[in-house]
Amino acid sequence: MQEYLETLIDRIRSSYWFIPTVMMLIAIVLSVLTIQIDRSASDNTAWIIDIIYVDSAEGARDVLSTIASSMITVAGVVFSITMVVLSLTSQQFGPLILVHFLRDRGNQLVLGTFVATFVYCLLILRSIRGSESLTFVPHLSILIGIGMALASLGVLIFFIHHVASTIQPTNILAKLANNLKKEMEIMFPEKIGESLSGVSSEILINVALEEKLEREAAQKEIIRPSHSGYLRLIRIDRVLDQAVNHNYIVRIEHHLGQFVTETDVLATIWFDIESSDERPDTTAIAKKLHPAFVIGISRTQSGDVAFMFVQLVEIAVRSLSPSLNDPFTAMMCIDRLKEALILLALQDLPSRYRFDKNGNLRVIAPVITYPEMFELSYVQIIEYAKNDERVLKHLMSVFSDLLLYVTAPDDETIHYYAKIVQQHLIRFEQR
């Protein structure tokens, strides 16, 4: 149930329908309230006639009909423009970047404003009466409708400016880098369990249990995914609590963002059968751990730092393709990746091994390493940039800067790929 709710929340955040729907419901409630106010205080709202210049039922219908028809027309235009922008952005920057546009609250609020104004005016329109026996013109409601129309005009101007600025490469990369920085500040240092630097030398002996467990083939259970998809979330705190409560050791087999199938192993559990008086139901205990792994149809930014690196790499690779040939955008991506790698180098990266309060090894978790993230960032870019001397020189400059922040053995990876870049540059000099 919790996995379903988290998937639903993520879909809502990246959907275009949720905020417009909420705003439409607010407009419905507002229309009911304003009509009731007009009916109960019709005499007190007569001064509004001097503002809206509408005194007859026919005039009120014309005003609201004009606003409603124009709003639904503009809403259609806004939706069309949004689709065109998404299409062009996908072609130039790649489909992975679309998640940022789908989560853009500005575009959702713009569409919601037009829809809400249309629904409000439509509902107020049906309340107007102009017969000989009954005449009712909701002056306050009409005034609010006109105010919403003026607000929609301002929102339209904002939308044009917002779209024009959103699709600029500098703004896209800045937003990606800012989101990546925030996520890394949340992820590191790891606060669940204890790293190797925080335990005594006696506890470090437990690290050998990983090899011992495999060698001696202790009582174990294997957790497999209930369905295929991308590993979106691993609740390490829940894994650690379950391991402590049921006295077992669990090894998580996959990183966040990896694609798993129903035949893959999510985690391996080793039970301490000898220390228990009764043989536990290991299968039932293993099932309790299953909700700690959230699997979805696509990767998300929440906790998946590698996916955010991939988004920057995709933009750089596309920019270096012959179809776009935009090396300056690629160099901006290289700079943003450099920023993230420097931040990663300054973080206190956690150990694979997590211990309980008594110093017992409980969780063996996959962790991000600096060489892995460096290779993820620059290996593909180096391959696509081998025919562009400017980008290669920029890479060498970035690698030199990164060496100031890393120590052995992480610097070996940078030196290795710096030599590859240098070989590509030598070919340009030999031409």
Side-chain angles (χ1 to χ4, degrees), residues 186-357:
I186 295 173
M187 292 290 293
F188 307 112
E190 179 62 65
K191 296 181 177 59
I192 302 300
E194 296 185 32
S195 64
L196 290 179
S197 60
V199 295
S200 65
S201 57
E202 295 181 358
I203 297 178
L204 295 180
I205 301 176
N206 288 329
V207 174
L209 280 177
E210 186 174 3
E211 297 179 357
K212 180 180 178 181
L213 292 171
E214 291 286 1
R215 183 175 61 253
E216 296 182 358
Q219 175 67 33
K220 68 178 182 180
E221 289 289 338
I222 292 176
I223 298 179
R224 300 186 188 275
S226 58
H227 58 278
S228 61
Y230 291 92
L231 189 56
R232 287 185 168 184
L233 177 65
I234 302 175
R235 301 188 185 92
I236 297 293
D237 53 347
R238 180 166 183 170
V239 174
L240 184 60
D241 291 340
Q242 290 291 324
V244 172
N245 293 336
H246 298 287
N247 192 25
Y248 61 70
I249 299 173
V250 56
R251 184 177 67 195
I252 301 171
E253 307 290 354
H254 293 277
H255 286 278
L256 280 177
Q258 286 187 321
F259 185 83
V260 294
T261 65
E262 296 178 5
T263 58
D264 291 328
V265 178
L266 277 178
T268 303
I269 300 176
W270 288 277
F271 291 91
D272 189 3
I273 304 297
E274 297 179 356
S275 63
S276 178
D277 296 334
E278 298 181 0
R279 187 178 182 87
D281 186 354
T282 57
T283 303
I285 294 175
K287 286 183 178 180
K288 293 182 180 180
L289 191 62
H290 202 278
F293 301 90
V294 179
I295 299 174
I297 60 175
S298 62
R299 299 177 71 172
T300 63
Q301 297 179 3
S302 180
D304 192 353
V305 174
F307 178 59
M308 306 179 77
F309 275 85
V310 169
Q311 290 177 316
L312 288 169
V313 173
E314 184 188 29
I315 296 176
V317 169
R318 282 179 172 269
S319 300
L320 293 171
S321 64
S323 59
L324 294 179
N325 192 21
D326 183 11
F328 296 103
T329 298
M331 286 189 282
M332 286 191 292
C333 293
I334 293 172
D335 291 334
R336 292 297 182 177
L337 289 168
K338 165 190 166 182
E339 177 187 12
L341 287 172
I342 290 176
L343 182 61
L344 182 64
L346 298 175
Q347 299 301 318
D348 181 18
L349 300 183
S351 165
R352 294 184 66 231
Y353 305 99
R354 314 295 167 85
F355 301 87
D356 59 20
K357 295 180 180 180

Side-chain angles (χ1 to χ4, degrees), residues 168-196:
Q168 294 179 13
T170 52
N171 292 334
I172 293 175
L173 297 179
K175 187 173 182 179
L176 281 172
N178 186 53
N179 292 340
L180 175 56
K181 183 178 180 180
K182 290 180 179 179
E183 195 63 36
M184 290 179 67
E185 289 175 350
I186 295 173
M187 292 290 293
F188 307 112
E190 179 62 65
K191 296 181 177 59
I192 302 300
E194 296 185 32
S195 64
L196 290 179

Side-chain angles (χ1 to χ4, degrees), residues 2-229:
Q2 189 173 3
E3 178 180 348
Y4 171 78
L5 290 176
E6 291 183 354
T7 303
L8 180 61
I9 292 173
D10 184 72
R11 288 181 179 179
I12 289 175
R13 290 183 60 192
S14 59
S15 67
Y16 257 84
W17 58 265
F18 181 72
I19 289 183
T21 301
V22 172
M23 295 180 70
M24 183 181 67
L25 294 176
I26 294 174
I28 294 174
V29 174
L30 180 62
S31 66
V32 174
L33 292 177
T34 56
I35 289 175
Q36 291 299 323
I37 293 174
D38 278 313
R39 286 176 176 172
S40 60
S42 58
D43 295 336
N44 296 330
T45 60
W47 58 272
I48 301 177
I49 300 175
D50 298 332
I51 300 177
I52 62 178
Y53 301 103
V54 175
D55 191 17
S56 63
E58 189 65 27
R61 290 193 185 97
D62 291 339
V63 170
L64 293 177
S65 298
T66 301
I67 295 175
S69 59
S70 60
M71 287 301 104
I72 197 63
T73 301
V74 175
V77 173
V78 168
F79 185 77
S80 300
I81 293 175
T82 302
M83 292 299 102
V84 171
V85 170
L86 291 177
S87 177
L88 294 176
T89 303
S90 177
Q91 293 177 12
Q92 183 172 359
F93 301 109
L96 295 181
I97 201 66
L98 292 183
V99 64
H100 292 279
F101 292 91
L102 293 175
R103 291 173 178 263
D104 193 303
R105 292 291 181 264
N107 293 337
Q108 297 175 17
L109 288 171
V110 168
L111 184 60
T113 300
F114 293 124
V115 173
T117 303
F118 167 76
V119 172
Y120 177 83
C121 292
L122 197 64
L123 294 176
I124 299 300
L125 185 63
R126 61 184 294 272
S127 68
I128 298 175
R129 299 290 183 269
S131 61
E132 295 181 357
S133 59
L134 177 62
T135 300
F136 175 69
V137 179
H139 298 109
L140 177 62
S141 301
I142 297 173
L143 178 62
I144 293 177
I146 295 174
M148 294 176 67
L150 294 175
S152 299
L153 181 62
V155 167
L156 178 61
I157 298 173
F158 161 78
F159 175 74
I160 295 172
H161 169 77
H162 183 67
V163 169
S165 61
T166 300
I167 61 177
Q168 294 179 13
T170 52
N171 292 334
I172 293 175
L173 297 179
K175 187 173 182 179
L176 281 172
N178 186 53
N179 292 340
L180 175 56
K181 183 178 180 180
K182 290 180 179 179
E183 195 63 36
M184 290 179 67
E185 289 175 350
I186 295 173
M187 292 290 293
F188 307 112
E190 179 62 65
K191 296 181 177 59
I192 302 300
E194 296 185 32
S195 64
L196 290 179
S197 60
V199 295
S200 65
S201 57
E202 295 181 358
I203 297 178
L204 295 180
I205 301 176
N206 288 329
V207 174
L209 280 177
E210 186 174 3
E211 297 179 357
K212 180 180 178 181
L213 292 171
E214 291 286 1
R215 183 175 61 253
E216 296 182 358
Q219 175 67 33
K220 68 178 182 180
E221 289 289 338
I222 292 176
I223 298 179
R224 300 186 188 275
S226 58
H227 58 278
S228 61

Side-chain angles (χ1 to χ4, degrees), residues 337-338 340-342 344-345 369-379 382 392 394-423:
L337 289 168
K338 165 190 166 182
L341 287 172
I342 290 176
L344 182 64
T369 63
Y370 191 89
E372 289 176 345
M373 300 311 297
F374 181 88
E375 292 179 349
L376 178 64
S377 300
Y378 290 122
V379 168
I382 293 173
L392 291 174
H394 191 67
L395 281 169
M396 287 298 296
S397 175
V398 168
F399 291 173
S400 299
D401 294 338
L402 289 175
L403 286 171
L404 301 175
Y405 297 92
V406 299
T407 56
D410 295 340
D411 57 352
E412 297 178 0
T413 304
I414 301 179
H415 283 298
Y416 174 78
Y417 287 102
K419 291 179 180 179
I420 296 177
V421 174
Q422 187 64 40
Q423 292 174 358

